[in-house]
Amino acid sequence: MNITTQNNSGCPNAEDSLYIFFNPAPTVNVLSVDTTCAGYEVLLQSNSSTGNGWWETLGDGDFMPSDTGVAVYYTNGPGDLALDSVLIVFHSLDNGGCKTVFDTTTIVIIPSPIVSFTATEVCLGSATLFTNGSTSIEPITDYEWLFESTQTSTVPNPSHTFSTEGIQPVQLIVTSLNGCIDTLVQDVQVYDSPSANFVSPEPCAYGAVFIDSSIVSDTSITIWAWDFGDGSSSTEQNPEHPFNSSGLYEITLTVTSAYGCSNSITISSEIYTKPVAAFSANPNPGEVSEDIQFTDESTSSNSIIDTWIWDFQNGDTSMVQNPISSYEDAGNFDVMLIVFDTEGCRDTVVNQINVMYGPDVPTAFSPNGDGAND
């Protein structure tokens, strides 16, 4: 634009130039979905001609990552949900001297379902029962359970038998009629079942010994229930039980852990008669300092005797079958022999031997008259 002055005084006219630039007025247009599920992020977008702007909510939700930019996410607040909708305003920035313009959108908030469930605490090998407790204003149309690996279910109240003990994370996804979804991951406890077992190092009719060797991984075993197969029972951990006769018995042990998980084992056990311990001593009576030969005369109807334990009551012991011992004092001594056969059965016998001082021979007596006591 040129500006010229007109001078009527006879002086020459003067002129100057002024450039005026007209920027286009900014425009904004909010592009957004008009409906979202409660608790879900909704993408807000604007095609602002300035390429920038800021967002304002007339509710109580939050913008992410911030409220500035042409594209942000919005998550509704409890006030939005209570009113079932929220008004969102976009304001232009970098307007080039022009007035700020804005656009609005109203987002309707649809209530989402609230997922919940409970589960029974069980022992390994038993089925966990799941009870759905999810709620929704709209009917729930779909259930998706994920138990372990790829094992799933689509029924409201399923059951599942886990393959391992311990903490098991279980996921439930529910979808309501309006298409809204809620998800919950919750830990479920599965207790280990004990492994029942026992040994019998001394399976003998006079008093068989049973040693518990059961194990459990996550706690301790607190209850033992024995059935000896002859109408008798015990609740001791390591009982000793006499049988009326030898033979084959079905021995059952049931163990229960501190969590109430139980397991049983039945073992066919042969119960044997005990060996019969016996021995003789020669000479008996014997003399002080004289070697006495002890001879084992024990027998076993089950197997072979392979262990001998002697106590001579003179401070000496032996584990050979036929030992020799002597005594430095005269008197009566109770010699004890314990024998074991190859089945682990034992017997004990105590026999008394008599030890005397030998006769004194006069040193002045010479039978052949040569003056020497031969």
Side-chain angles (χ1 to χ4, degrees):
M1 175 184 294
N2 292 327
I3 300 176
T4 303
T5 61
Q6 188 172 10
N7 189 345
N8 296 322
S9 63
C11 295
N13 294 331
E15 64 179 39
D16 196 4
S17 298
L18 173 66
Y19 294 95
I20 300 176
F21 296 93
F22 294 95
N23 290 325
T27 60
V28 294
N29 182 26
V30 174
L31 306 174
S32 174
V33 295
D34 57 4
T35 304
T36 187
C37 297
Y40 278 56
E41 293 179 347
V42 59
L43 177 62
L44 301 174
Q45 292 179 294
S46 172
N47 59 358
S48 171
S49 62
T50 68
N52 200 4
W54 65 278
W55 300 85
E56 178 186 11
T57 176
L58 300 187
D60 59 351
D62 297 308
F63 295 100
M64 296 176 56
S66 70
D67 61 358
T68 302
V70 295
V72 299
Y73 288 95
Y74 181 76
T75 303
N76 67 273
D80 300 341
L81 181 59
L83 295 174
D84 297 330
S85 65
V86 61
L87 181 65
I88 303 294
V89 183
F90 178 79
H91 304 265
S92 64
L93 287 174
D94 303 329
N95 298 300
C98 298
K99 291 179 60 176
T100 296
V101 295
F102 64 88
D103 192 15
T104 64
T105 183
T106 298
I107 301 175
V108 175
I109 312 297
I110 301 174
S112 293
I114 300 174
V115 61
S116 70
F117 66 87
T118 59
T120 56
E121 292 185 351
V122 300
C123 304
L124 184 64
S126 297
T128 299
L129 304 179
F130 294 89
T131 302
N132 167 59
S134 305
T135 58
S136 177
I137 293 177
E138 295 287 335
I140 295 176
T141 57
D142 294 294
Y143 298 87
E144 184 179 348
W145 299 83
L146 177 61
F147 302 114
E148 54 182 337
S149 184
T150 58
Q151 300 182 51
T152 62
S153 177
T154 57
V155 300
N157 300 297
S159 64
H160 178 72
T161 302
F162 290 92
S163 59
T164 57
E165 77 279 358
I167 301 296
Q168 309 289 341
V170 175
Q171 176 179 274
L172 172 59
I173 303 173
V174 297
T175 304
S176 62
L177 184 62
N178 53 29
C180 293
I181 296 173
D182 194 20
T183 301
L184 173 64
V185 177
Q186 186 167 287
D187 288 336
V188 173
Q189 178 70 57
V190 178
Y191 296 115
D192 187 25
S193 290
S195 175
N197 203 4
F198 66 90
V199 295
S200 182
E202 195 172 347
C204 310
Y206 57 78
V209 176
F210 297 95
I211 304 299
D212 166 54
S213 58
S214 306
I215 57 174
V216 65
S217 65
D218 55 1
T219 183
S220 59
I221 294 173
T222 56
I223 299 175
W224 296 264
W226 295 86
D227 182 343
F228 298 114
D230 62 351
S232 302
S233 61
S234 174
T235 57
E236 296 180 15
Q237 181 179 4
N238 301 304
E240 180 177 342
H241 177 66
F243 291 85
N244 292 329
S245 61
S246 60
L248 191 65
Y249 292 85
E250 298 293 313
I251 312 297
T252 300
L253 170 61
T254 302
V255 292
T256 304
S257 73
Y259 292 133
C261 300
S262 298
N263 206 350
S264 299
I265 187 172
T266 298
I267 299 177
S268 297
S269 301
E270 185 73 35
I271 302 300
Y272 300 96
T273 57
K274 68 178 183 179
V276 178
F279 70 90
S280 61
N282 186 36
N284 185 19
E287 295 184 359
V288 172
S289 300
E290 181 182 19
D291 285 343
I292 299 177
Q293 175 71 58
F294 293 90
T295 302
D296 170 52
E297 297 175 350
S298 305
T299 59
S300 173
S301 60
N302 301 324
S303 56
I304 300 172
I305 295 175
D306 61 354
T307 302
W308 300 264
I309 302 174
W310 296 86
D311 184 348
F312 302 110
Q313 293 293 298
N314 62 356
D316 291 338
T317 59
S318 178
M319 294 188 68
V320 300
Q321 182 178 6
N322 300 301
I324 295 174
S325 187
S326 63
Y327 294 82
E328 299 303 318
D329 297 304
N332 295 321
F333 297 89
D334 292 328
V335 178
M336 181 173 65
L337 169 62
I338 304 173
V339 295
F340 291 85
D341 63 22
T342 54
E343 302 299 340
C345 296
R346 57 184 164 82
D347 191 30
T348 302
V349 64
V350 176
N351 290 337
Q352 189 178 85
I353 67 169
N354 180 256
V355 178
M356 302 180 298
Y357 288 106
D360 291 331
V361 179
T363 59
F365 176 69
S366 177
N368 58 6
D370 61 0
N373 183 359
D374 299 326

